Amino acid sequence: MKLAKRLDRIKPSATLTINAKAKALKRQGTHIINFGVGEPDFDTPIHIQEAAIKAMRDGQTRYTAVSGIDELKDGVCELMRKDYGLSFSRENVLISCGGKHALYNLFQALLDPGDEAILPSPYWVSYPDLVELAEGVTVAVPCPEESGFKLLPEQLENAITPRTRLLIMNSPSNPTGAVYSRSDLEALAEVLIPHEEILIVSDDIYYRILFDGAPWVNFAMIDRRLRERTFIVNGVSKSSCMTGWRIGYLVGNEEVIKGATKIQGQSTSNPTSIAQWASVAALKGDQECVAQMTRVFERRRDYVMDRLGGIPGVKCPRPSGAFYVFPNFSAYYGKAADGRIINSSLELADYFMERAHVAVVPGIAFGEDRCLRFSYALSMEELKDGFDRVADALKAMK
Ligand SMILES: Cc1ncc(COP(=O)(O)O)c(C=O)c1O
Protein backbone atom coordinates (compact mmCIF):
# COMPACT_ATOMS: atom_id res chain seq x y z
CA MET A 1 0.00 0.00 0.00
CA LYS A 2 1.37 3.43 -0.88
CA LEU A 3 1.31 5.71 2.12
CA ALA A 4 1.84 9.47 2.29
CA LYS A 5 5.47 10.67 2.44
CA ARG A 6 4.56 12.73 5.50
CA LEU A 7 4.65 9.52 7.54
CA ASP A 8 8.34 8.99 6.76
CA ARG A 9 9.21 12.29 8.42
CA ILE A 10 7.67 11.61 11.83
CA LYS A 11 8.56 9.08 14.50
CA PRO A 12 6.22 7.22 16.84
CA SER A 13 6.52 8.64 20.38
CA ALA A 14 9.51 6.97 22.08
CA THR A 15 7.89 7.14 25.50
CA LEU A 16 4.78 5.36 24.25
CA THR A 17 6.99 2.72 22.60
CA ILE A 18 8.95 2.00 25.80
CA ASN A 19 5.71 1.74 27.77
CA ALA A 20 4.35 -0.77 25.26
CA LYS A 21 7.55 -2.85 25.58
CA ALA A 22 7.31 -2.79 29.38
CA LYS A 23 3.63 -3.76 29.29
CA ALA A 24 4.36 -6.68 26.93
CA LEU A 25 7.00 -8.05 29.34
CA LYS A 26 4.60 -7.55 32.25
CA ARG A 27 1.94 -9.59 30.44
CA GLN A 28 4.46 -12.44 30.22
CA GLY A 29 4.72 -12.35 34.02
CA THR A 30 7.99 -10.37 34.38
CA HIS A 31 8.05 -7.88 37.25
CA ILE A 32 9.07 -4.68 35.52
CA ILE A 33 9.86 -1.44 37.27
CA ASN A 34 8.61 1.08 34.74
CA PHE A 35 10.47 4.38 35.03
CA GLY A 36 9.06 5.24 31.59
CA VAL A 37 5.69 6.53 32.71
CA GLY A 38 4.75 10.07 31.74
CA GLU A 39 1.75 10.48 34.00
CA PRO A 40 1.02 10.84 37.73
CA ASP A 41 0.44 7.50 39.47
CA PHE A 42 -2.66 8.84 41.26
CA ASP A 43 -6.31 8.44 40.34
CA THR A 44 -8.36 11.38 39.13
CA PRO A 45 -9.74 13.02 42.32
CA ILE A 46 -13.26 11.90 43.25
CA HIS A 47 -14.89 15.33 42.92
CA ILE A 48 -13.76 15.44 39.29
CA GLN A 49 -15.08 11.94 38.61
CA GLU A 50 -18.41 12.94 40.20
CA ALA A 51 -18.65 15.98 37.92
CA ALA A 52 -18.28 13.73 34.87
CA ILE A 53 -21.04 11.41 36.11
CA LYS A 54 -23.29 14.38 36.81
CA ALA A 55 -22.62 15.77 33.32
CA MET A 56 -23.73 12.50 31.76
CA ARG A 57 -26.86 12.34 33.93
CA ASP A 58 -27.64 15.98 33.05
CA GLY A 59 -27.54 15.16 29.35
CA GLN A 60 -24.26 16.95 28.59
CA THR A 61 -23.56 14.33 25.97
CA ARG A 62 -23.92 16.25 22.74
CA TYR A 63 -21.65 18.34 20.53
CA THR A 64 -20.39 21.49 22.18
CA ALA A 65 -18.95 24.56 20.47
CA VAL A 66 -15.79 23.50 18.57
CA SER A 67 -13.62 25.64 20.87
CA GLY A 68 -15.17 24.27 24.08
CA ILE A 69 -17.86 25.16 26.60
CA ASP A 70 -18.03 28.67 28.06
CA GLU A 71 -17.90 27.33 31.61
CA LEU A 72 -14.49 25.75 30.98
CA LYS A 73 -13.18 28.80 29.13
CA ASP A 74 -14.28 30.89 32.12
CA GLY A 75 -12.45 28.43 34.38
CA VAL A 76 -9.29 28.89 32.29
CA CYS A 77 -9.63 32.71 32.41
CA GLU A 78 -10.06 32.55 36.19
CA LEU A 79 -6.97 30.34 36.48
CA MET A 80 -5.03 32.81 34.32
CA ARG A 81 -6.03 35.62 36.68
CA LYS A 82 -5.31 33.67 39.84
CA ASP A 83 -2.16 31.73 38.96
CA TYR A 84 -0.64 33.93 36.25
CA GLY A 85 -1.96 37.39 37.17
CA LEU A 86 -3.08 37.79 33.54
CA SER A 87 -6.43 38.90 32.23
CA PHE A 88 -7.94 37.07 29.25
CA SER A 89 -11.44 36.60 27.87
CA ARG A 90 -13.18 33.62 26.31
CA GLU A 91 -12.05 34.69 22.82
CA ASN A 92 -8.46 34.10 23.90
CA VAL A 93 -9.08 30.44 24.82
CA LEU A 94 -9.31 27.24 22.80
CA ILE A 95 -10.11 23.98 24.59
CA SER A 96 -8.51 20.98 22.85
CA CYS A 97 -8.08 17.22 23.27
CA GLY A 98 -4.99 17.48 25.52
CA GLY A 99 -1.98 19.75 25.61
CA LYS A 100 -0.50 17.92 22.63
CA HIS A 101 -3.54 18.69 20.52
CA ALA A 102 -3.34 22.35 21.59
CA LEU A 103 0.28 22.41 20.36
CA TYR A 104 -0.68 20.67 17.12
CA ASN A 105 -3.40 23.21 16.38
CA LEU A 106 -1.11 26.11 17.25
CA PHE A 107 1.74 24.97 15.00
CA GLN A 108 -0.69 24.33 12.15
CA ALA A 109 -2.05 27.85 12.60
CA LEU A 110 1.33 29.60 12.81
CA LEU A 111 3.95 27.79 10.74
CA ASP A 112 4.49 28.02 7.00
CA PRO A 113 6.84 25.62 5.20
CA GLY A 114 10.43 26.36 6.20
CA ASP A 115 9.57 28.51 9.23
CA GLU A 116 11.97 27.81 12.06
CA ALA A 117 11.12 26.91 15.64
CA ILE A 118 13.94 27.26 18.19
CA LEU A 119 13.85 24.38 20.64
CA PRO A 120 16.11 24.15 23.70
CA SER A 121 17.45 20.59 23.87
CA PRO A 122 16.82 18.26 25.77
CA TYR A 123 13.20 18.66 24.69
CA TRP A 124 9.92 16.79 25.03
CA VAL A 125 9.86 14.09 22.34
CA SER A 126 6.84 15.32 20.43
CA TYR A 127 7.85 18.92 19.60
CA PRO A 128 10.03 18.16 16.54
CA ASP A 129 7.36 15.89 15.05
CA LEU A 130 4.57 18.39 15.71
CA VAL A 131 6.67 21.09 14.03
CA GLU A 132 7.44 18.72 11.15
CA LEU A 133 3.74 17.96 10.63
CA ALA A 134 3.25 21.71 10.16
CA GLU A 135 6.15 21.70 7.65
CA GLY A 136 8.26 23.82 9.96
CA VAL A 137 11.94 23.28 10.76
CA THR A 138 13.15 22.58 14.30
CA VAL A 139 16.34 24.35 15.34
CA ALA A 140 17.48 22.41 18.41
CA VAL A 141 19.89 24.26 20.70
CA PRO A 142 21.94 21.96 22.95
CA CYS A 143 21.63 22.97 26.62
CA PRO A 144 23.90 20.61 28.58
CA GLU A 145 23.59 19.77 32.25
CA GLU A 146 26.44 22.18 33.07
CA SER A 147 23.97 25.03 32.48
CA GLY A 148 21.21 23.17 34.31
CA PHE A 149 19.73 22.09 30.93
CA LYS A 150 18.60 25.69 30.38
CA LEU A 151 18.87 27.97 27.35
CA LEU A 152 21.29 30.89 27.77
CA PRO A 153 20.73 34.33 26.19
CA GLU A 154 23.78 34.14 23.88
CA GLN A 155 22.65 30.72 22.64
CA LEU A 156 19.22 32.14 21.85
CA GLU A 157 20.73 35.13 20.03
CA ASN A 158 22.95 32.84 17.93
CA ALA A 159 20.04 30.56 16.97
CA ILE A 160 17.89 33.38 15.57
CA THR A 161 17.74 33.69 11.75
CA PRO A 162 15.43 35.60 9.38
CA ARG A 163 13.26 32.44 9.25
CA THR A 164 12.75 32.18 13.02
CA ARG A 165 9.06 32.19 13.88
CA LEU A 166 8.82 30.47 17.25
CA LEU A 167 10.67 29.80 20.47
CA ILE A 168 9.33 26.72 22.27
CA MET A 169 9.69 26.85 26.06
CA ASN A 170 8.78 24.12 28.54
CA SER A 171 9.24 24.85 32.24
CA PRO A 172 9.11 22.75 34.39
CA SER A 173 10.69 20.58 31.75
CA ASN A 174 10.04 17.13 30.50
CA PRO A 175 12.58 15.39 30.50
CA THR A 176 14.91 17.33 32.85
CA GLY A 177 12.66 18.85 35.53
CA ALA A 178 14.53 22.15 34.98
CA VAL A 179 12.64 25.32 35.89
CA TYR A 180 13.39 28.79 34.52
CA SER A 181 13.48 31.42 37.26
CA ARG A 182 12.30 34.98 36.78
CA SER A 183 15.88 36.16 36.29
CA ASP A 184 16.57 33.39 33.72
CA LEU A 185 13.53 34.56 31.77
CA GLU A 186 14.38 38.25 32.12
CA ALA A 187 17.82 37.62 30.60
CA LEU A 188 16.26 35.76 27.66
CA ALA A 189 13.57 38.45 27.32
CA GLU A 190 16.24 41.05 26.58
CA VAL A 191 17.14 39.04 23.48
CA LEU A 192 13.53 38.41 22.48
CA ILE A 193 11.99 41.85 22.90
CA PRO A 194 13.71 43.50 19.89
CA HIS A 195 12.84 40.51 17.65
CA GLU A 196 9.16 41.37 17.37
CA GLU A 197 8.51 38.74 14.69
CA ILE A 198 9.33 35.86 17.07
CA LEU A 199 6.43 34.29 18.95
CA ILE A 200 6.80 32.23 22.10
CA VAL A 201 5.12 28.95 22.93
CA SER A 202 5.05 28.43 26.68
CA ASP A 203 4.21 24.81 27.43
CA ASP A 204 3.20 25.06 31.08
CA ILE A 205 1.69 21.59 31.44
CA TYR A 206 3.75 20.90 34.65
CA TYR A 207 3.31 24.39 36.15
CA ARG A 208 1.67 23.15 39.37
CA ILE A 209 4.41 20.62 40.08
CA LEU A 210 7.07 23.00 41.42
CA PHE A 211 9.43 22.26 44.33
CA ASP A 212 11.36 24.12 47.03
CA GLY A 213 8.72 26.85 47.21
CA ALA A 214 9.62 28.21 43.76
CA PRO A 215 7.06 30.74 42.51
CA TRP A 216 5.37 30.17 39.16
CA VAL A 217 6.54 32.44 36.32
CA ASN A 218 6.57 32.40 32.51
CA PHE A 219 7.39 34.87 29.70
CA ALA A 220 3.86 36.27 29.49
CA MET A 221 4.08 37.26 33.16
CA ILE A 222 7.33 39.22 33.06
CA ASP A 223 6.83 41.75 30.26
CA ARG A 224 3.75 43.20 28.56
CA ARG A 225 5.43 43.15 25.15
CA LEU A 226 6.11 39.44 25.48
CA ARG A 227 2.65 38.73 26.82
CA GLU A 228 1.19 39.69 23.44
CA ARG A 229 3.54 37.32 21.67
CA THR A 230 3.22 34.35 24.03
CA PHE A 231 0.91 31.38 23.54
CA ILE A 232 0.24 29.46 26.71
CA VAL A 233 -0.34 25.73 26.43
CA ASN A 234 -1.64 24.02 29.53
CA GLY A 235 -4.15 21.38 30.57
CA VAL A 236 -5.50 19.16 33.29
CA SER A 237 -3.55 16.02 32.34
CA LYS A 238 -0.67 16.30 34.79
CA SER A 239 -1.88 18.67 37.52
CA SER A 240 -5.27 17.00 37.99
CA CYS A 241 -4.24 13.42 37.15
CA MET A 242 -6.45 13.39 34.05
CA THR A 243 -4.15 12.13 31.29
CA GLY A 244 -6.82 9.81 29.89
CA TRP A 245 -9.52 12.48 29.76
CA ARG A 246 -7.74 14.42 27.01
CA ILE A 247 -8.35 18.05 27.89
CA GLY A 248 -5.80 20.78 27.27
CA TYR A 249 -6.04 24.42 26.33
CA LEU A 250 -4.37 27.20 24.40
CA VAL A 251 -4.46 30.83 25.54
CA GLY A 252 -3.31 33.85 23.57
CA ASN A 253 -3.94 36.28 20.72
CA GLU A 254 -7.56 36.11 19.53
CA GLU A 255 -6.76 35.97 15.81
CA VAL A 256 -4.44 32.99 16.29
CA ILE A 257 -7.00 31.29 18.54
CA LYS A 258 -9.53 31.66 15.71
CA GLY A 259 -7.06 30.09 13.28
CA ALA A 260 -6.30 27.19 15.63
CA THR A 261 -10.06 26.70 16.18
CA LYS A 262 -10.53 26.44 12.41
CA ILE A 263 -7.99 23.58 12.31
CA GLN A 264 -9.68 21.85 15.25
CA GLY A 265 -13.10 22.33 13.62
CA GLN A 266 -12.03 20.21 10.64
CA SER A 267 -10.32 17.49 12.63
CA THR A 268 -11.74 16.57 16.04
CA SER A 269 -14.48 19.20 16.50
CA ASN A 270 -15.05 19.75 20.22
CA PRO A 271 -13.19 17.77 22.89
CA THR A 272 -15.41 15.26 24.73
CA SER A 273 -18.27 17.11 26.40
CA ILE A 274 -18.14 14.99 29.57
CA ALA A 275 -14.38 15.49 29.97
CA GLN A 276 -14.88 19.22 29.56
CA TRP A 277 -17.38 19.28 32.45
CA ALA A 278 -15.02 17.20 34.56
CA SER A 279 -12.29 19.74 33.79
CA VAL A 280 -14.50 22.57 35.03
CA ALA A 281 -14.54 20.78 38.39
CA ALA A 282 -10.76 20.27 38.16
CA LEU A 283 -10.11 23.98 37.65
CA LYS A 284 -12.76 25.42 39.93
CA GLY A 285 -12.89 22.77 42.68
CA ASP A 286 -10.66 21.91 45.64
CA GLN A 287 -6.96 22.37 44.83
CA GLU A 288 -5.61 20.66 47.96
CA CYS A 289 -5.22 17.41 45.98
CA VAL A 290 -2.76 19.16 43.63
CA ALA A 291 -0.70 20.50 46.54
CA GLN A 292 -0.69 17.07 48.17
CA MET A 293 0.50 15.35 44.99
CA THR A 294 3.28 17.92 44.57
CA ARG A 295 4.50 17.28 48.12
CA VAL A 296 4.67 13.55 47.36
CA PHE A 297 6.63 14.19 44.15
CA GLU A 298 9.03 16.46 46.03
CA ARG A 299 9.79 13.75 48.61
CA ARG A 300 10.37 11.28 45.80
CA ARG A 301 12.64 13.75 44.00
CA ASP A 302 14.76 13.96 47.15
CA TYR A 303 14.95 10.17 47.42
CA VAL A 304 15.83 9.74 43.73
CA MET A 305 18.59 12.37 43.97
CA ASP A 306 20.04 10.55 46.99
CA ARG A 307 20.09 7.29 45.09
CA LEU A 308 21.63 8.85 41.97
CA GLY A 309 24.23 10.53 44.19
CA GLY A 310 25.27 7.06 45.35
CA ILE A 311 26.02 5.79 41.83
CA PRO A 312 29.63 6.45 40.81
CA GLY A 313 30.11 8.53 37.65
CA VAL A 314 26.49 9.67 37.27
CA LYS A 315 25.84 13.41 36.99
CA CYS A 316 22.40 14.93 37.39
CA PRO A 317 21.26 18.51 38.11
CA ARG A 318 18.61 18.63 40.83
CA PRO A 319 15.17 18.96 39.20
CA SER A 320 12.96 21.77 40.49
CA GLY A 321 9.66 20.52 39.09
CA ALA A 322 7.67 17.92 37.10
CA PHE A 323 8.36 14.25 37.96
CA TYR A 324 11.42 13.35 35.91
CA VAL A 325 15.18 13.17 36.33
CA PHE A 326 17.61 13.11 33.43
CA PRO A 327 20.93 11.73 34.68
CA ASN A 328 24.04 11.56 32.53
CA PHE A 329 25.33 7.96 32.31
CA SER A 330 28.00 8.54 29.67
CA ALA A 331 30.74 7.49 32.16
CA TYR A 332 29.48 3.95 31.52
CA TYR A 333 29.72 4.16 27.73
CA GLY A 334 32.51 2.01 26.31
CA LYS A 335 32.06 -0.62 29.04
CA ALA A 336 31.05 -4.23 28.47
CA ALA A 337 27.72 -5.54 29.68
CA ASP A 338 26.56 -9.13 29.15
CA GLY A 339 28.98 -9.63 26.28
CA ARG A 340 28.43 -6.36 24.39
CA ILE A 341 29.82 -2.87 24.58
CA ILE A 342 27.36 -0.16 25.61
CA ASN A 343 27.83 3.02 23.61
CA SER A 344 24.51 4.85 23.58
CA SER A 345 21.40 5.64 25.59
CA LEU A 346 19.43 3.15 23.49
CA GLU A 347 21.87 0.36 24.26
CA LEU A 348 21.97 1.21 27.97
CA ALA A 349 18.16 1.37 28.16
CA ASP A 350 17.97 -2.03 26.43
CA TYR A 351 20.53 -3.48 28.84
CA PHE A 352 18.53 -2.20 31.84
CA MET A 353 15.36 -3.69 30.42
CA GLU A 354 16.89 -7.10 29.70
CA ARG A 355 19.20 -7.48 32.69
CA ALA A 356 17.34 -5.61 35.42
CA HIS A 357 13.77 -5.54 34.10
CA VAL A 358 13.80 -1.78 34.47
CA ALA A 359 12.22 0.42 31.79
CA VAL A 360 13.71 3.89 31.17
CA VAL A 361 13.50 6.19 28.16
CA PRO A 362 16.75 6.63 26.19
CA GLY A 363 17.92 10.24 26.21
CA ILE A 364 18.37 10.27 22.43
CA ALA A 365 14.56 10.53 22.15
CA PHE A 366 14.89 13.92 23.87
CA GLY A 367 17.94 15.00 21.86
CA GLU A 368 20.65 14.04 24.43
CA ASP A 369 22.30 10.66 23.99
CA ARG A 370 24.38 10.82 27.19
CA CYS A 371 21.31 10.69 29.45
CA LEU A 372 18.36 8.48 30.36
CA ARG A 373 14.99 9.74 31.55
CA PHE A 374 13.58 8.30 34.76
CA SER A 375 10.05 9.20 35.79
CA TYR A 376 9.40 9.03 39.53
CA ALA A 377 5.65 8.69 39.22
CA LEU A 378 6.16 5.41 41.10
CA SER A 379 5.67 4.32 44.71
CA MET A 380 8.62 4.57 47.13
CA GLU A 381 8.86 0.75 47.16
CA GLU A 382 9.15 0.65 43.38
CA LEU A 383 11.67 3.49 43.36
CA LYS A 384 13.83 1.65 45.90
CA ASP A 385 13.59 -1.67 44.06
CA GLY A 386 14.22 0.06 40.70
CA PHE A 387 17.34 1.91 41.83
CA ASP A 388 18.69 -1.23 43.55
CA ARG A 389 18.35 -3.00 40.21
CA VAL A 390 19.97 -0.15 38.26
CA ALA A 391 22.89 0.01 40.71
CA ASP A 392 23.42 -3.77 40.42
CA ALA A 393 23.25 -3.69 36.61
CA LEU A 394 25.83 -0.88 36.50
CA LYS A 395 28.12 -2.73 38.91
CA ALA A 396 28.07 -5.71 36.54
CA MET A 397 29.50 -3.55 33.69
CA LYS A 398 33.25 -3.93 33.16
C1 LIG B 1 6.02 18.79 28.01
C2 LIG B 1 4.71 18.19 27.67
N1 LIG B 1 3.84 18.91 26.96
C3 LIG B 1 2.64 18.42 26.62
C4 LIG B 1 2.27 17.14 26.97
C5 LIG B 1 0.96 16.62 26.51
O1 LIG B 1 0.00 16.59 27.46
P1 LIG B 1 -1.44 15.98 27.16
O2 LIG B 1 -1.45 14.62 27.73
O3 LIG B 1 -2.37 16.93 27.83
O4 LIG B 1 -1.63 15.98 25.67
C6 LIG B 1 3.16 16.34 27.71
C7 LIG B 1 2.80 14.97 28.07
O5 LIG B 1 3.63 14.14 28.37
C8 LIG B 1 4.40 16.89 28.07
O6 LIG B 1 5.29 16.18 28.79
Side-chain angles (χ1 to χ4, degrees):
M1 183 78 70
K2 183 185 170 301
L3 297 176
K5 291 197 179 55
R6 175 181 314 115
L7 292 177
D8 300 336
R9 300 200 307 261
I10 58 170
K11 306 175 294 302
S13 159
T15 42
L16 299 182
T17 312
I18 208 93
N19 278 325
K21 225 175 183 177
K23 275 185 187 149
L25 274 170
K26 232 179 203 165
R27 270 198 301 276
Q28 291 164 19
T30 311
H31 178 212
I32 296 277
I33 301 291
N34 188 2
F35 285 107
V37 286
E39 56 189 341
D41 52 318
F42 305 104
D43 288 335
T44 304
I46 290 290
H47 71 278
I48 300 173
Q49 298 181 29
E50 296 292 350
I53 293 166
K54 181 172 183 312
M56 277 188 273
R57 297 266 151 81
D58 289 351
Q60 304 288 359
T61 53
R62 299 169 188 262
Y63 292 132
T64 74
V66 165
S67 58
I69 57 175
D70 284 344
E71 288 79 356
L72 185 50
K73 290 184 193 172
D74 290 346
V76 170
C77 293
E78 210 174 295
L79 178 148
M80 288 292 139
R81 257 191 302 280
K82 199 164 48 81
D83 292 351
Y84 287 68
L86 299 174
S87 161
F88 288 102
S89 57
R90 289 176 187 166
E91 293 67 35
N92 300 111
V93 180
L94 168 61
I95 311 293
S96 297
C97 309
K100 190 187 273 184
H101 189 213
L103 287 162
Y104 177 86
N105 290 329
L106 179 64
F107 293 162
Q108 293 291 326
L110 287 180
L111 293 174
D112 272 325
D115 281 352
E116 292 176 358
I118 296 176
L119 181 60
S121 170
Y123 46 76
W124 178 49
V125 286
S126 293
Y127 296 129
D129 297 283
L130 290 165
V131 168
E132 178 67 48
L133 279 171
E135 298 182 68
V137 175
T138 297
V139 177
V141 181
C143 305
E145 84 245 13
E146 291 78 16
S147 43
F149 294 123
K150 290 194 259 189
L151 181 68
L152 301 173
E154 56 274 23
Q155 290 181 299
L156 174 60
E157 187 75 70
N158 291 337
I160 294 173
T161 76
R163 295 302 314 252
T164 305
R165 180 81 174 123
L166 292 180
L167 166 66
I168 303 174
M169 294 291 287
N170 172 219
S171 170
S173 152
N174 176 5
T176 67
V179 172
Y180 286 79
S181 67
R182 177 172 282 272
S183 62
D184 293 333
L185 294 177
E186 279 168 353
L188 292 168
E190 277 189 41
V191 178
L192 284 170
I193 287 167
H195 290 280
E196 289 176 7
E197 70 291 355
I198 301 181
L199 304 175
I200 300 150
V201 180
S202 187
D203 180 345
D204 302 344
I205 200 96
Y206 297 99
Y207 89 112
R208 298 294 301 273
I209 308 173
L210 275 172
F211 309 142
D212 312 314
W216 166 239
V217 65
N218 79 356
F219 272 125
M221 296 156 74
I222 62 165
D223 191 292
R224 222 194 136 70
R225 289 163 291 181
L226 292 184
R227 189 207 131 165
E228 283 154 18
R229 290 158 48 187
T230 300
F231 292 89
I232 296 169
V233 172
N234 207 329
V236 293
S237 298
K238 315 287 177 172
S239 39
S240 296
C241 309
M242 292 176 71
T243 47
W245 299 71
R246 310 311 302 134
I247 296 291
Y249 48 87
L250 174 66
V251 184
N253 173 283
E254 188 178 335
E255 204 184 333
V256 175
I257 292 291
K258 269 202 191 118
T261 304
K262 204 166 159 186
I263 301 285
Q264 179 160 304
Q266 294 302 8
S267 46
T268 59
S269 293
N270 64 273
T272 307
S273 57
I274 299 152
Q276 289 192 64
W277 282 102
S279 301
V280 172
L283 297 191
K284 294 188 174 175
D286 181 21
Q287 299 299 306
E288 179 48 31
C289 48
V290 185
Q292 225 171 10
M293 174 180 74
T294 301
R295 285 195 291 274
V296 172
F297 280 138
E298 187 163 351
R299 280 200 296 277
R300 292 180 188 169
R301 186 271 320 253
D302 293 343
Y303 176 74
V304 167
M305 288 309 292
D306 276 354
R307 293 302 306 261
L308 287 171
I311 301 177
V314 171
K315 290 182 283 182
C316 185
R318 194 174 184 79
S320 306
F323 41 77
Y324 309 104
V325 277
F326 202 55
N328 180 335
F329 282 92
S330 60
Y332 289 85
Y333 293 180
K335 292 194 178 196
D338 288 347
R340 61 196 147 141
I341 304 291
I342 301 291
N343 271 321
S344 68
S345 60
L346 262 172
E347 288 166 0
L348 188 57
D350 258 354
Y351 170 63
F352 282 166
M353 181 82 95
E354 284 163 23
R355 165 121 194 169
H357 298 149
V358 161
V360 295
V361 188
I364 189 70
F366 309 95
E368 175 50 272
D369 202 26
R370 296 176 302 169
C371 298
L372 298 175
R373 190 194 76 173
F374 289 67
S375 155
Y376 45 89
L378 298 176
S379 70
M380 274 298 194
E381 292 71 35
E382 285 176 301
L383 289 176
K384 180 177 180 313
D385 187 359
F387 278 102
D388 287 348
R389 295 183 192 197
V390 166
D392 286 348
L394 288 171
K395 265 188 212 137
M397 293 176 77
K398 296 282 173 262

